[in-house]
Structures are given as C-alpha cells and as structure tokens.
Amino acid sequence: MEIINRRQRMFSISRKLRRESKTVGFVPTMGALHEGHLTLVKEARQMCDVVIVSIFVNPTQFNSSVDLEKYPRDLTTDVSLLAEYEVDYIFAPEEHEIYPDGFSTYVNVQGVTDVLEGESRPGHFRGVATVVTILLNTVRPDHAFFGQKDAQQVAVIKRLTTDLGFETEIVVVPTVREESGLAMSSRNERLSAEEREKAAIIINALRAAKTEFKRGERNASHLTQIVRDTIATEPLARLDYVHIVDRESMQTIDKVGDNEALIVIAAYFGDVRLIDNVILNRKQ
Ligand code: PAF
C-alpha cells in the first residue's frame, strides 16, 4: 500500500493503471473511518483490480470553521485499517494540493442541492461537488463508491457526473447500521450512550412508514405522519424534517408513483443532527 500526498503522483499512478487496463475502484472519504466506509472499501475490493481511498477533510463543505476544526482526524488509525482491507493506494493530499493558490473554480449543481440538507447547510453541496469533481479528475476511477445514507449527496454526485460527462460509474452501497438499526455515522460518537440507544427510533419510524407503503399507502402526508407519530414517542428526539422525495431530483412529492422515492429524515438528539432514509419502489 502506498500513501500518496501529491496530486501529480496520483495523476501518474492513475495514468499507469489505465495503460495496464486495470479497473480502478475509488472510495472518497474524510477519514475517521468506521464500518460504513469499510463496507464501501470491501465492495470496491470485490469489484475492482485496484482500490484507491482518499482521505481529505474538505474545508469547502463545512458551514462553520468550528465544525471543521472539531472534525476527527486520525490518519495513523485510518491507514492501519485500510491496510487490513488490502487497499492499494491512499490519496491523502494537503489542502494546497487540492485548492492551489488563487483557487476560484466551484461546481454548483442546481435544483437537487436547493432542498433538505442544502437548505440547512448552505454551501455544503457546492463544497462536496467541487471536491468530488477534483478527486474524480485526479484519480480517474472506473467506479466510485458512496453510501446510501447520504442520499442527497449521491443524487448530487450522480447529477454532476452525468452533466460533466465523467466516465466513472457511481456505485451506491446500502446503509450500514449498528445492531440497533441506527445508521453508521461519525456523528454517532458524539451521542451519549442513552441517546445512541434511543436514536434507533429513527429507523423504526422509517420502517413503520415503509410497512404501510408495502400495504398500499401511497399518500406522502399519511406516510410522513407515521414517521412523525413514531418520533414523537421518543422524548430525546427532535424532528427537523421528514419528506417523501423523488430519489433522483430530491424534490418533495405528494403521492408515490412508479419512480424510485425516498422517505428522508433529519432529527436531533441533543445537539447532534442525524439523517437517514429508506427507499420506496427500489428498481434494482
Ligand atoms: O461523504 C463524505 O465523506 C464527503 O462528503 C466526501 C464525499 C468524501 C467529499 O468530501
């Protein structure tokens, strides 16, 4: 396993891999790796000849400098975990390698970023879209792996790779959950033991609504009411939003039709904001 810090070195490795006709799987991360990331790595390992993981805490996707500073960083632990998963290259650039002096080019994906997380975290998806564009252009992978937990991020990245003509196939991996059902996230570490246990109400609420969907309920307000009612039974939970959205456009819908849709939720436990979703009408 080689750790690469420079963009030029990453370019030349990826050129060499293409010359050798190796399929390249890429897992972009911000480090602080947990089981969710490692599942993406496992998937990449199964599908591709060569696996590249990036570790870069991307400053442009943070809304506050305090959050950016507080973001957990532990490169040594991350590197030893990735070695166990037989990763071939870790791309861990310094900030100036990604954002050189005078940097002034940003990627704005319209529409899909205007709602939900885009509303709560202005500028967040501009930062994600920009860094993912730079990373894909540097690594040039055949496949890039993202988790379904961040459904809106997936929708943004699919839109941008289609619009900008990237050849990379975006592979979406199902959400990895703790034993209780809580979606894995680095934010879970900030929950108290009690909050972490009680936060399973989020997936229980989504599953209750999905059960009604399977019984034939198509009305979005009825389905979201089930989620609201279930969340209301947990005093530690504070609902931020719950919506039924089109999986591709992330726009709210009133009635679930034939297209893939999601029930998306954001809820607070203390000051920790958690997101999750379930898919309705899954096509594959
Ligand atoms: O999901 C993440 O960890 C980040 O948003 C990503 C895709 C690595 C871009 O910084």
Side-chain angles (χ1 to χ4, degrees):
M1 185 171 79
E2 179 182 338
I3 302 174
I4 300 169
N5 302 116
R6 302 218 170 272
R7 212 156 143 194
Q8 278 308 329
R9 172 77 184 146
M10 192 68 256
F11 277 136
S12 61
I13 298 275
S14 69
R15 258 198 312 269
K16 173 175 157 286
L17 294 171
R18 279 200 303 282
R19 266 200 313 272
E20 292 169 351
S21 301
K22 298 261 171 64
T23 55
V24 174
F26 176 50
V27 182
T29 81
M30 298 208 298
L33 303 178
H34 54 66
E35 206 44 48
H37 300 108
L38 298 172
T39 304
L40 302 181
V41 173
K42 262 191 262 173
E43 195 73 22
R45 185 69 285 163
Q46 267 172 21
M47 277 179 68
C48 306
D49 299 325
V50 173
V51 177
I52 304 176
V53 176
S54 65
I55 297 179
F56 178 65
V57 181
N58 174 34
T60 63
Q61 70 187 76
F62 284 82
N63 300 96
S64 93
S65 50
V66 179
D67 286 353
L68 173 60
E69 264 164 45
K70 275 200 320 208
Y71 199 84
R73 292 164 173 86
D74 186 355
L75 189 62
T76 315
T77 308
D78 289 343
V79 167
S80 54
L81 273 172
L82 294 174
E84 279 174 39
Y85 283 76
E86 296 172 43
V87 165
D88 299 285
Y89 298 96
I90 297 176
F91 180 44
E94 294 289 334
E95 189 176 330
H96 63 87
E97 286 287 318
I98 297 294
Y99 299 115
D101 271 357
F103 185 90
S104 37
T105 306
Y106 292 89
V107 178
N108 267 315
V109 182
Q110 293 178 349
V112 65
T113 61
D114 297 343
V115 291
L116 308 170
E117 296 307 292
E119 248 174 350
S120 327
R121 306 169 71 187
H124 168 71
F125 286 122
R126 182 178 92 139
V128 171
T130 302
V131 79
V132 168
T133 301
I134 295 168
L135 290 169
L136 291 182
N137 193 41
T138 307
V139 176
R140 304 283 189 96
D142 297 282
H143 307 279
F145 297 77
F146 295 88
Q148 173 59 28
K149 196 205 110 215
D150 295 311
Q152 192 169 9
Q153 171 167 283
V154 166
V156 170
I157 290 164
K158 282 191 164 175
R159 187 71 260 161
L160 94 79
T161 50
T162 302
D163 290 354
L164 299 183
F166 279 100
E167 284 181 318
T168 304
E169 186 210 349
I170 303 304
V171 181
V172 184
V173 177
T175 304
V176 182
R177 300 186 178 279
E178 299 188 354
E179 220 173 278
S180 66
L182 175 64
M184 292 225 179
S185 161
S186 34
R187 292 183 184 194
N188 297 356
E189 301 300 324
R190 290 170 45 208
L191 298 168
S192 69
E194 189 189 7
E195 286 168 340
R196 196 159 176 161
E197 186 198 323
K198 298 291 167 67
I201 194 76
I202 294 176
I203 185 61
N204 294 340
L206 294 174
R207 284 179 178 152
K210 186 163 177 170
T211 302
E212 281 313 301
F213 171 77
K214 284 184 177 157
R215 289 191 182 131
E217 181 61 78
R218 293 291 178 269
N219 187 312
S221 64
H222 292 171
L223 292 168
T224 51
Q225 193 55 46
I226 295 168
V227 177
R228 279 177 216 289
D229 292 344
T230 313
I231 296 290
T233 64
E234 176 45 65
L236 292 182
R238 187 161 53 85
L239 186 66
D240 182 5
Y241 64 67
V242 55
H243 294 292
I244 313 277
V245 299
D246 178 83
R247 190 179 181 186
E248 205 178 294
S249 71
M250 297 304 285
Q251 304 304 309
T252 305
I253 51 179
D254 296 335
K255 223 174 185 61
V256 186
D258 292 337
N259 291 345
E260 283 188 319
L262 303 170
I263 316 179
V264 289
I265 185 171
Y268 285 95
F269 279 74
D271 65 348
V272 183
R273 189 167 174 279
L274 301 172
I275 59 169
D276 202 349
N277 66 85
V278 288
I279 305 172
L280 308 175
N281 275 343
R282 185 195 280 278
K283 291 272 152 60
Q284 13 104 19

